[in-house]
Amino acid sequence: MLVQQILTSKPVGEVFTLAPGATLSEAAALLSEKRIGAIIVSKDGKHPAGILSERDIVRELGKRGVACMADSVDKVMTAKLVGCGKADSADDVMQKMTDGRFRHMPVMDGDEMIGLISIGDVVKARLSELAMEKDALEGMIKGF
């Protein structure tokens, strides 16, 4: 399965972004309100400067306490993004996420972000693919 197929199964326009000057408190509120695990940091919503996950916020809280919540997201975000393209396979994306120990990945078309996928999206797609393969094999064995 390709990333493009995963994107088509997701609601359109569901990538949430914050500007680099937003605070961790604003980020935490958006994460909570939207029930998501990561936010792309971007000036224009299309060109990511970084990604901020719930883990990033928890790590800062653990180190410095609630005072960190006034910091801007660009001080805490992961600036070195690992992305993927529409033509990448789900298996390749899953491997990148596993190797990098992260759960969210922007989908890029050149330098422009066109979507965001999570490890949950990739696992769901892979499970669907495996179920179809299983059904096809059962059909061949049983003569359907």
Side-chain angles (χ1 to χ4, degrees):
M1 182 167 289
L2 300 178
V3 169
Q4 178 61 44
Q5 293 165 291
I6 296 170
L7 282 179
T8 58
S9 71
K10 292 179 59 103
V12 176
E14 287 293 313
V15 178
F16 297 100
T17 64
L18 281 175
T23 65
L24 287 184
S25 182
E26 291 172 305
L30 184 60
L31 288 168
S32 176
E33 175 190 337
K34 301 298 181 184
R35 299 181 57 138
I36 55 176
I39 297 171
I40 296 294
V41 179
S42 173
K43 290 180 183 178
D44 62 4
K46 291 289 183 186
H47 299 90
I51 189 166
L52 180 78
S53 72
E54 58 199 359
R55 280 198 240 172
D56 296 326
I57 296 172
V58 168
R59 185 178 52 250
E60 286 301 306
L61 279 168
K63 282 187 212 173
R64 300 180 26 233
V66 296
C68 73
M69 296 304 283
D71 287 353
S72 63
V73 292
D74 49 313
K75 291 182 180 176
V76 180
M77 71 182 187
T78 300
K80 187 177 179 187
L81 283 173
V82 175
C84 62
K86 296 184 295 187
D88 289 351
S89 74
D91 289 340
D92 289 343
V93 169
M94 194 179 311
Q95 190 64 56
K96 281 183 184 180
M97 288 180 166
T98 301
D99 292 346
R101 299 184 52 80
F102 51 86
R103 299 176 291 174
H104 301 86
M105 181 181 284
V107 181
M108 306 297 292
D109 186 8
D111 68 343
E112 188 171 303
M113 180 179 60
I114 58 171
L116 182 72
I117 57 175
S118 70
I119 191 70
D121 298 328
V122 178
V123 168
K124 179 181 174 184
R126 187 65 181 122
L127 288 174
S128 174
E129 191 174 48
L130 289 171
M132 287 188 293
E133 289 174 10
K134 175 189 152 281
D135 291 345
L137 288 171
E138 281 181 352
M140 287 177 14
I141 291 168
K142 294 178 180 177
F144 296 130

